[in-house]
Amino acid sequence: MATLLWIIAVILVVSGIYVILARRDLLWGIVLIVLGFLVGPGGVSIFNV
């Protein structure tokens, strides 16, 4: 399960960086990056609450 959470978190963070750089949409990029940090098992995980 932890591996799946890491993969989802990485996809969210990378897509957030892509949105910021390619589409110039800062708000959606920040939202995706924050969601990636919340889903990731390394920090605060919304599934462990």
Side-chain angles (χ1 to χ4, degrees), residues 20-38:
I20 289 175
L21 294 178
R23 295 179 147 191
R24 305 280 189 220
D25 194 358
L26 189 64
L27 180 64
W28 276 112
I30 291 173
V31 167
L32 288 172
I33 292 172
V34 169
L35 281 176
F37 286 137
L38 288 177

Side-chain angles (χ1 to χ4, degrees), residues 1-47:
M1 184 67 176
T3 304
L4 180 65
L5 288 177
W6 270 110
I7 292 170
I8 293 172
V10 167
I11 290 171
L12 284 171
V13 171
V14 168
S15 62
I17 293 171
Y18 170 76
V19 167
I20 289 175
L21 294 178
R23 295 179 147 191
R24 305 280 189 220
D25 194 358
L26 189 64
L27 180 64
W28 276 112
I30 291 173
V31 167
L32 288 172
I33 292 172
V34 169
L35 281 176
F37 286 137
L38 288 177
V39 170
V44 178
S45 180
I46 58 175
F47 297 113

